[in-house]
Amino acid sequence: MLLSDDELWALSYYRTSEINGSLFFGRLARTLKPSPIQHDLTKHFADEAQHAWYWTDCLDRLGTRPIKMSDAYQDQYLEAAGLPVNLMEIMAITLVFERRVINQYARHLAVPNVRAEVKETIERIMEDERWHVQWVRDALTGMEDRFGKDTIAETLRRYKAADREVYAHTLAEHEARLGFLLDAHPRAPED
Ligand SMILES: [Fe+2]
Ligand SMILES: [Fe+2]
């Protein structure tokens, strides 16, 4: 069975998001001094680059090619939430974003009759995404002495609000395309 236009659009969208994530974290990794964060962020952006490849390869196996997209979800994020001003804020926005990604992929897995190639790709990516949430959460905990627990919690709240706004906007904008995901009932996302 051929991929529907909507599915092709969604998978292409994921691929573009992964490329954007890789570029974003890669640029960031380049600016960091030697530290555990430098180490983990380098692995993180390498993972996101791999994920873009997995989607490209998945679409190839499904007999098609990714659509070229211009819309960058992360850019809308930065617009809604404001540019992070320090490493703690970067980690906070990353944590919120990574949770959104996991939630989105879980939602897609819950779509009835999801294709084997897509399921396999999402499950492969999810293993890395779980680690992404884990290391960023640990990095934030390690920053509590420096930035204060309350300030970190407040920053996370601010980015979560921006995330909800951007996601609602994305769903509204692409409702026709992503409609097939709306009926899916994922398991509760990790927190
Ligand atoms: Fe990813
Ligand atoms: Fe990730």
Side-chain angles (χ1 to χ4, degrees):
M1 209 172 62
L2 279 174
L3 211 57
S4 72
D5 283 355
D6 290 351
E7 282 176 294
L8 173 61
W9 191 91
L11 304 188
S12 302
Y13 189 77
Y14 297 156
R15 172 182 172 272
T16 302
S17 278
E18 299 286 2
I19 293 178
N20 291 337
S22 179
L23 292 171
F24 178 73
F25 296 125
R27 281 195 202 99
L28 212 56
R30 196 168 52 187
T31 69
L32 293 179
K33 292 190 214 99
S35 67
I37 290 184
Q38 179 202 52
H39 175 276
D40 288 348
L41 201 62
T42 305
K43 168 85 173 95
H44 192 139
F45 92 78
D47 284 351
E48 306 296 17
Q50 279 296 315
H51 300 168
W53 162 243
Y54 296 162
W55 282 123
T56 310
D57 184 49
C58 175
L59 285 163
D60 195 48
R61 282 184 286 139
L62 290 166
T64 187
R65 297 262 185 269
I67 304 168
K68 178 181 175 290
M69 305 209 138
S70 52
D71 201 23
Y73 194 66
Q74 282 92 340
D75 292 347
Q76 291 181 38
Y77 244 67
L78 296 179
E79 263 171 48
L83 224 51
V85 296
N86 55 42
L87 197 56
M88 181 276 285
E89 291 198 352
I90 289 167
M91 290 294 103
I93 198 169
T94 300
L95 183 61
V96 171
F97 183 73
E98 293 291 326
R99 280 179 180 153
R100 170 61 68 197
V101 170
I102 286 186
N103 182 281
Q104 179 65 29
Y105 282 147
R107 204 180 256 254
H108 201 127
L109 275 185
V111 170
N113 306 318
V114 63
R115 270 157 217 280
E117 291 87 348
V118 172
K119 183 169 185 280
E120 186 197 306
T121 303
I122 292 180
E123 282 170 351
R124 198 171 170 195
I125 290 177
M126 289 275 248
E127 278 176 38
D128 294 333
E129 301 297 359
R130 276 190 275 272
W131 176 72
H132 294 172
V133 166
Q134 181 66 48
W135 89 260
V136 175
R137 195 199 283 132
D138 291 349
L140 275 172
T141 306
M143 290 176 178
E144 282 176 1
D145 284 350
R146 193 169 143 212
F147 290 94
K149 211 172 171 172
D150 291 348
T151 307
I152 294 175
E154 175 47 38
T155 306
L156 283 169
R157 263 195 297 279
R158 181 156 53 90
Y159 286 136
K160 272 184 195 162
D163 171 68
R164 275 192 293 272
E165 188 188 313
V166 173
Y167 192 66
H169 176 80
T170 302
L171 281 183
E173 192 182 345
H174 306 298
E175 203 178 349
R177 293 278 187 205
L178 295 172
F180 74 100
L181 291 173
L182 291 176
D183 303 326
H185 299 290
R187 57 185 172 72
E190 288 180 33
D191 213 21

